[in-house]
Amino acid sequence: MKIKALLISLLILSTSVLFIPQSQAAGKGWRYWGYFQAAPGATKWTAAMTGPTVDIADGAVEGWSFVFGADDIPSLAPAVKPSFAKICAGVKGDTDTKRIGLVIEFGSKAWAPKGESPKKTITTCVRTAKTSQGIDVLGQVTKIRAASSGLICGLGGYPAKECGVEIPTPKSLIKTK
């Protein structure tokens, strides 16, 4: 039951509208790792409706973005466009593996944990086994810290300790009239 509640919460966070309504502007939200995907040939990110334990096709692009979100705020997709052709340029395919583009964006200083600074965006092409899932691709590039529920808490040591904590809406995101 806890897993179902967690999945519903993540679904709400990852599929909400693209702005901060006035009524929510001074509220609270969560900072967490948002997960996005772009199928082969896609030019836009889609919020992942499942966790990263799903199969991904050769030519897909996986995206992770450390975001601030509330009930009416989406996971902000990585700013880097999911262009497999650009990300995997020069990485030749073969019959034994698949190639997956990967973007890891560490978010804004506005919602970074106190005393921490976002790292530089990682954009790379991963050659992996045909049976690899999203979590395998991610693990080939960076260290993953996850909660017992499966929620991704940290990538590459960022954030250092917390996991999906609730915080006040960052001042830079509050809209004024």
Side-chain angles (χ1 to χ4, degrees):
M1 203 62 171
K2 286 182 182 180
I3 293 175
K4 185 177 180 181
L6 175 64
L7 290 174
I8 290 170
S9 296
L10 288 175
L11 179 64
I12 290 168
L13 287 170
S14 65
T15 60
S16 41
V17 297
L18 295 175
F19 62 93
I20 301 172
Q22 278 305 115
S23 63
Q24 295 291 326
K28 292 184 177 187
W30 295 266
R31 56 179 169 224
Y32 62 96
W33 280 101
Y35 178 41
F36 296 84
Q37 297 174 308
T43 59
K44 294 186 179 189
W45 292 111
T46 300
M49 303 311 283
T50 63
T53 55
V54 294
D55 188 36
I56 43 179
D58 181 70
V61 182
E62 297 276 284
W64 289 88
S65 184
F66 191 68
V67 300
F68 171 82
D71 288 342
D72 295 321
I73 302 171
S75 303
L76 300 172
V80 174
K81 297 214 183 293
S83 172
F84 177 80
K86 271 188 175 177
I87 295 170
C88 289
V91 178
K92 295 185 187 227
D94 62 38
T95 57
D96 298 327
T97 61
K98 59 185 174 182
R99 295 168 300 152
I100 307 296
L102 178 65
V103 176
I104 304 171
E105 191 169 276
F106 292 86
S108 170
K109 183 73 175 158
W111 54 82
K114 187 175 182 175
E116 295 189 60
S117 294
K119 296 180 177 193
K120 184 178 176 186
T121 298
I122 297 170
T123 304
T124 190
C125 187
V126 178
R127 183 185 300 278
T128 189
K130 293 263 186 198
T131 58
S132 291
Q133 297 180 328
I135 195 75
D136 303 314
V137 171
L138 185 61
Q140 282 183 241
V141 174
T142 192
K143 184 177 179 182
I144 302 168
R145 182 173 54 83
S148 60
S149 65
L151 179 67
I152 302 299
C153 298
L155 297 178
Y158 185 80
K161 296 180 181 176
E162 68 182 45
C163 189
V165 299
E166 187 177 36
I167 62 169
T169 300
K171 289 178 184 171
S172 64
L173 297 179
I174 297 174
K175 292 185 179 194
T176 57
K177 287 187 175 188

